[in-house]
Amino acid sequence: MCRFRHYLPIILILLVALFARAYNLATVPPGLDGDEMFNGWDASRALKEKPTVYFPANFGREPLHIYLMALTTRVLETTAWTLRLPMVLNGVVGIALTYALATRFFNRRVALLTSALIALSLWPLRVDRVALRAGLQPTFQVAAVYALWRALEKRNVHWTVAAGLLNGLVLYTYTAGRIFPLVVILWVGTRVLIERKLPWRHLLAVGAIALLTLAPLGLFAIRHPETFNNRINELNYDLQRMRQGNLTPLWDSITATAGMFTQAGDPKWRYNVADRPIFDPVTGLFFYLGLILSLIRVQRPAYLLMVIWLPIMLAPTIFSIGTPSFWRSVGAMTPIYLMPALGADFVWKKIHQWLKGDRAQQLSRTVLTVMAAGGLILVGADTWHDFFTIWPRNPEVLKTFEADLAAAARFLNTYRPDETPVWVSSDYPSDLSRTLLKYQTDYPGPVRWFDGRKATIWPAGWVGQDVLMIFTWSSPPNPDAEAVLDEYAIYEESDPAGRPHLWIYRIPGEALSETPWQPQQTVDGRFTQNREILGYDVPTQVERRSTADATIYWRVPTGVRYDSSDVPFSYVCLLDQSADWCMDRTSQYQMYPIWDWTPGDVVAQRYAVPVPAYVLPQTTAFRVGMFTSRGDIRFADGASGVGSLEVGPVEVRGGARMDPQWDGESPVFNEELALLSHHISSRGGLGATYAPGSRLTVELQWQAIAPPSADYTVRLSLHDQSTGKPVATLDELLGSTRHPTSRWAEREPAHTYHPMQIPATLESGEFELRLALLRLDRPDEAADSITLKNFTVSGRPHAFDRPTPQEALEARFGEAIRLVGYDLQASEGAPGGELELTLYWRALETISEDYKVFVHLYASTGDDVSGQHDSRPGNGALPTWSWLADEFITDTHTIPIESGAATGASALGVGFYDPTTGKRLPAFLGGEPQPNDVLIIDQIDIT
C-alpha cells in the first residue's frame, strides 16, 4: 500500500497528461496540416517498400516517427486520430522517463514538479498532439541520458548497450537532434577532467554501440549530403550571415531566444498562441532561480548536465530563421522544465530550514503542497483555455490545419446516399488536398477535385445521377459557380473564427443534361488529345496597367491522352501584335486535374490576364494555349486547320505612368527617352555565338523622362568588328503609328520588339549590334549609338553540288523547297523495328522561316500513323533558315515502327510544317497538290 501511495502522484500526472493529449485529438488541431499528410503518406508505404533510414520528400525527414506511424496505422485504420496517436503515447512515456531521470538526478519532489509542468504546459501539449516527429527528440534524449547515467553507476552490459543504442537513436528522431551527441561528449568529457575515475571500458562501449547504431544514417549522409542537409540549408540563414562577418542577426536571435521563457515566445500561431512565453511570471521566477542554482552548483554532475544541455540544444533555433522557434527548441525542453522545479525545490527546502519544530514543518509541508498543486492547476487551466479555446479559433491555425477540408470530411461521413459522386474545390486539388481528405473520411463514393477559384465544373458526363459540389474556404465559389449553383445549395457552414468555410450544392441528375453557360463567342476546335474548346468570354477593351478577366469554356472529349509525369499547363495571355509575343504570361496548372476528368464534363475556367503598363495602345487579341515541358500543344480548328487559338479582338487603351525606373547607368537619348534594359533572344544562337540566318528579337524597355518632342525611329545595325562597316541595318518606328513617341507622356513606360535577321550569306567573324535613335523628320541627321551586344557569327559548310540519290524525284514544298530524291535503306520493316531514310532537298531561294520535316508511316488499314519522326533538317543541325539559294541538303531520319503496327503495305509520306502553328507547307508533285500536304514517296512492307 505504501508503494502504491508513493507512485500515486506520478500515476495521476500521467493520467492527466494522457487525457490532455488524447481529448478531442481528431478535432484539435482543427484538421491535418500538410506535414502530417506527408508523414502519413510515407507511413502508408513504409512497411510495403524497402526499409530506408531517411525520407527525402518534404525537405527530408528522419525515419523513426514514420515507422512508428506505419505500425500504428497497420493495426488500426488510417485516420487523423491514429496518425497522431504515436506522439500522444510518446509524450506520456517521455513524462514518465523525465520523472525517473529527475528522481535519480535530484529528488522525487523535483521529479513530480517537472513531470507535472510538462504534462500541463502548452508547449509540450502542442508538440504531442500532432503527427510530427519533433516530440520524439526530448523523449529519446531523456531515455539516452538516463541509460548513460545508469551505465556509469551500474557498469553492467544491459545499461551499456541501452545507453549506446538510445544515444544513437536520438539522431533518428528529428533534425535538431544531430547536435545532441555534443551535449553527451561535453558532459562526459568534463566529468572525466573533474573526477578522473569514470569507467573507460563502458564509456568506449557506449560510444562504439552508438556509432554502430548511427552507421546507416551516417552512410546515407555521406552518400547524399545535399538531401540529408536540405532542411538545415533552408533554415540556417543567420549562420550564413555570421560567416560573412555580420553578427547583428546572431545577437538578435540570441536575445529573442532568451526572451522566449518569460517575455515573448514563438510568434507563429502554427506552433503557439502567438508570442505566448513558455512560463507565466511566477513560474518564470522559479525558472531563473533554478538556472542560477545550476550555475552555482555546476561542479555536481546533474547540474553540470543541465548547464551544458540547455544552451547547446537551443542552438538550432538561435542559428535558424524565425527565432524563437518552439519546434526547433524541443531538444532543450527537459532542462527548461527542470529549472523551475529546481528553483521551487530550493525555496521549499529553505522554508523548511527556516521553520523550527515538527508541527511547523508539517504545516508548511501541507501548505506548500496545496500551493504547488494550486499553482499547477492554474497552469493547467491557462493551458486548457489557450489551447482548446483560443488557439483552434485563430484564422492562421484554421488555414494551416485545413479546417475547411476537415469540415468537408465530417459532412461526407454523415451524408447519404454515400455513393453519390462528389466534386471538392480546394487550393491543392491534384495532390495535397485529396490525401488530407482521405485521412479524415471513409466516404466510398467517387470523389473528384478542382480549384473553384479558377474553374467551375458542370459534370455533364454524369447525366441522370445526382452529384455534390463542395467548395471550401481555400477555394470558394467564383462568380461563374455562384451564377449557376445558387438554386442547388443545401448546406453552408462557418468556421470557429466565424468565416464561411463550406458551401455544398446538390445538382439533380436531370439538370446535368444542359450546359448552364452561353459563351459570348463560340469556338469549334480542340487541343491535340486534350480539351475541346466551346467558347469564351473576353473583354473588347482593356486599360493599360490593369487585369483583364477571361473565361474559357471547354469540354472533356473522348480520347484524352496525357503523361502523368508531364501534365499540361494552360494559359491566356495578351499578345503584342508588333512581335506576336505573349506579355506577362501566367499559367494555370491542374485547376481540374486531368485524371479526374469524365468525358462530357464542361468547365468554365477563369483567367486573370495581366495588361502591363508597358504595352502600347493597339488592337490585338488574347492567345489561349496549352503546353508541357516538351512544347506547345497544338490547337486544331475545323475552319483554319492546325495552329494556335487567338480570340478577340481587344483594344488596348489609355495612358500609363510609373515611378522613374532609370538610374545613372541607363542610356538616355536626347534627354527625353531612357533605355531601362534590353534583351536579345535568338533562333539559332547559343550564348555569344550565332549562325548565319539566325533571327534575333531585340526587346527594348523604355521610359520617357520628359514628353518626347518628336517621333523617333529605332536603328539597329550589325557591324563587322574587323572593318567597322555595317553588314545589316533595320530601321523601325519606335512605338507604333497609333502611338508614336510624340504621344508618350512623361514617365510612360513602353516595351518594343524588333525582329532582325543575320544575313544567311554572312561569313564567319566577330560582330557588334548597335542601337541609335533617329528623328523621323530628320532621318539623315547624325545620331549617337550604343552597343547592345558583341557576338560571334559562325557558319557551317554549304553543298552546291547536286547529289545522286537512289530514287530521283522532283517535288516542291511551298515556293522555296524542292525534294530531288531519297535513299531508303530497306523497303520492308517489322513492328518494333526502324527505317532509315535520307532525303535530299534543294533550296530554291534563301528561306527565313523555321520549318520541321515530318516523316510518317501510314498503316495499311487507313490513315493511322504507325511510325513517325519529326525534326528540323539534319536533326536540327541544318535548319531551313540557314539554307542558301541553290544549296543541297542531306537530311537523314530514323523512323521507329510501333510495336503494334499492322502488317501489310504501308505508305511512307514526308512534308514540312511550321512548329509554332502546326500549319503544313503545301506539297506538289508534278504541279499537282498532294492530299493533306503529304507527299507519299514509297511503300513499306510491314511483316
Side-chain angles (χ1 to χ4, degrees), residues 3 15 23 51 126 157 248 330 342 462 465 490 492 656 811 932:
R3 193 173 182 85
L15 289 174
Y23 174 77
R126 167 68 182 83
V157 174
T248 301
V330 290
L342 290 172
W462 295 78
Q465 187 170 1
I490 62 170
E492 184 173 326
N932 299 320

Side-chain angles (χ1 to χ4, degrees), residues 399-478:
K399 177 183 178 182
T400 298
F401 288 92
E402 308 277 359
D404 49 355
L405 282 177
R410 290 193 297 271
F411 178 87
L412 290 175
N413 285 335
T414 60
Y415 184 78
R416 298 295 182 273
D418 58 8
E419 70 274 7
T420 303
V422 177
W423 276 256
V424 183
S425 169
S426 188
D427 53 352
Y428 292 97
S430 62
D431 43 42
L432 176 64
S433 295
R434 60 180 66 216
T435 307
L436 286 170
L437 186 76
K438 182 180 73 173
Y439 289 152
Q440 299 176 84
T441 180
D442 56 359
Y443 186 78
V447 179
R448 287 166 166 77
W449 293 81
F450 67 104
D451 187 339
R453 296 170 299 179
K454 304 290 179 62
T456 302
I457 316 302
W458 190 256
W462 295 78
V463 172
Q465 187 170 1
D466 291 2
V467 301
L468 286 180
M469 304 290 288
I470 300 177
F471 290 83
T472 60
W473 177 86
S474 68
S475 186
N478 67 57

Side-chain angles (χ1 to χ4, degrees), residues 491-642:
Y491 182 74
E492 184 173 326
E493 179 181 302
S494 295
D495 65 21
R499 307 171 305 175
H501 74 154
L502 200 63
W503 299 263
I504 302 179
Y505 307 87
R506 182 173 58 221
I507 307 175
E510 59 272 15
L512 296 175
S513 59
E514 294 187 9
T515 303
W517 301 291
Q518 296 296 326
Q520 294 174 357
Q521 298 291 331
T522 58
V523 176
D524 179 17
R526 174 180 174 180
F527 286 95
T528 303
Q529 298 179 349
N530 211 283
R531 59 187 64 174
E532 175 188 350
I533 305 299
L534 303 177
Y536 58 87
D537 298 342
V538 296
T540 57
Q541 295 181 342
V542 294
E543 296 290 328
R544 298 167 69 187
R545 204 175 188 179
S546 68
T547 300
D549 292 326
T551 301
I552 307 299
Y553 302 92
W554 55 274
R555 179 189 290 124
V556 177
T558 57
V560 172
R561 297 183 184 178
Y562 66 94
D563 178 353
S564 59
S565 65
D566 193 13
V567 178
F569 287 77
S570 66
Y571 67 89
V572 177
C573 70
L574 185 68
L575 288 174
D576 188 315
Q577 290 290 11
S578 65
D580 192 29
W581 197 280
C582 270
M583 292 175 287
D584 286 4
R585 185 175 85 176
T586 55
S587 305
Q588 293 184 7
Y589 175 73
Q590 294 287 72
M591 295 298 106
Y592 184 22
I594 198 167
W595 40 80
D596 284 339
W597 293 5
T598 301
D601 289 349
V602 177
V603 181
Q605 190 160 346
R606 300 171 65 87
Y607 297 83
V609 184
V611 184
Y614 59 74
V615 59
L616 295 173
Q618 59 186 280
T619 301
T620 184
F622 295 99
R623 174 172 289 167
V624 181
M626 297 185 70
F627 65 93
T628 67
S629 65
R630 293 187 293 271
D632 289 335
I633 300 175
R634 299 177 191 170
F635 177 77
D637 187 313
S640 61
V642 178

Side-chain angles (χ1 to χ4, degrees), residues 167-321:
N167 274 277
L169 285 176
V170 169
L171 278 74
Y172 288 82
T173 60
Y174 184 53
T175 310
R178 297 179 190 179
I179 63 171
F180 184 70
L182 183 59
V183 173
V184 176
I185 292 170
L186 286 176
W187 180 53
V188 172
T190 306
R191 287 191 63 185
V192 168
L193 292 175
I194 296 172
E195 301 176 24
R196 300 183 181 274
K197 56 181 180 180
L198 291 180
W200 282 102
R201 285 192 305 163
H202 292 277
L203 283 175
L204 291 174
V206 169
I209 295 169
L211 288 174
L212 285 174
T213 306
L214 275 174
L217 188 63
L219 287 174
F220 181 90
I222 292 170
R223 293 171 179 170
H224 310 282
E226 291 186 2
T227 300
F228 188 68
N229 294 314
N230 191 16
R231 188 171 290 271
I232 294 176
N233 294 335
E234 288 289 319
L235 298 174
N236 64 351
Y237 177 66
D238 285 346
L239 185 59
Q240 294 173 20
R241 296 177 70 181
M242 186 179 71
R243 288 171 178 167
Q244 298 169 359
N246 185 359
L247 299 181
T248 301
L250 176 62
W251 175 249
D252 292 342
S253 185
I254 291 172
T255 55
T257 301
M260 76 180 188
F261 303 111
T262 56
Q263 297 178 7
D266 196 317
K268 295 180 180 178
W269 277 94
R270 180 179 185 178
Y271 304 114
N272 186 30
V273 173
D275 296 322
R276 185 187 194 271
I278 294 175
F279 299 119
D280 60 81
V282 175
T283 312
L285 287 175
F286 285 114
F287 167 81
Y288 292 119
L289 179 58
L291 181 59
I292 294 170
L293 192 66
S294 297
L295 292 170
I296 293 173
R297 299 176 176 175
V298 72
Q299 73 279 6
R300 303 182 190 179
Y303 292 95
L304 172 65
L305 178 59
M306 297 301 104
V307 171
I308 293 173
W309 192 341
L310 177 61
I312 288 180
M313 296 316 296
L314 287 176
T317 187
I318 291 173
F319 291 106
S320 63
I321 60 176

